[in-house]
């Protein structure tokens, strides 16, 4: 089984949702199946800046 993990951000405009649909379709054409999305907190610059929240999408290929 092979995994692909992609940062997809946390805020979505209408245009970015359409782009995300295109990426999901592209990965499906490569044989990946969408698995899940989960939220993480990334540390700020050099570990001292304000942390950011983002979402990671996970895809699976058997």
């Amino acid at each position: 089984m092979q995994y692909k993990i992609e940062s997809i951000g946390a805020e979505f405009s209408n245009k970015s949702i359409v782009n995300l649909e295109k990426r999901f379709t592209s990965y499906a054409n490569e044989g990946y199946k969408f698995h899940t999305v989960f939220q993480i907190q990334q540390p700020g610059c050099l570990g001292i800046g304000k942390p950011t929240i983002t979402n990671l999408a996970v895809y699976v290929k058997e």
Side-chain angles (χ1 to χ4, degrees), residues 21-61:
E21 288 173 346
K22 289 177 184 176
R23 286 200 318 259
F24 280 13
T25 300
S26 174
Y27 293 148
N29 290 335
E30 294 175 22
Y32 285 93
K33 292 183 181 181
F34 173 74
H35 183 271
T36 192
V37 169
F38 60 95
Q39 194 172 73
I40 63 165
Q41 180 175 309
Q42 294 181 306
C45 184
L46 300 175
I48 57 174
K50 183 178 178 184
T52 58
I53 305 277
T54 191
N55 295 304
L56 297 180
V58 179
Y59 313 88
V60 178
K61 185 195 296 190

Side-chain angles (χ1 to χ4, degrees), residues 3-37:
Y3 292 89
K4 181 183 287 250
I5 300 175
E6 172 185 34
S7 176
I8 60 171
E11 294 184 30
F12 297 95
S13 66
N14 289 338
K15 182 178 178 182
S16 64
I17 290 172
V18 170
N19 289 335
L20 185 60
E21 288 173 346
K22 289 177 184 176
R23 286 200 318 259
F24 280 13
T25 300
S26 174
Y27 293 148
N29 290 335
E30 294 175 22
Y32 285 93
K33 292 183 181 181
F34 173 74
H35 183 271
T36 192
V37 169

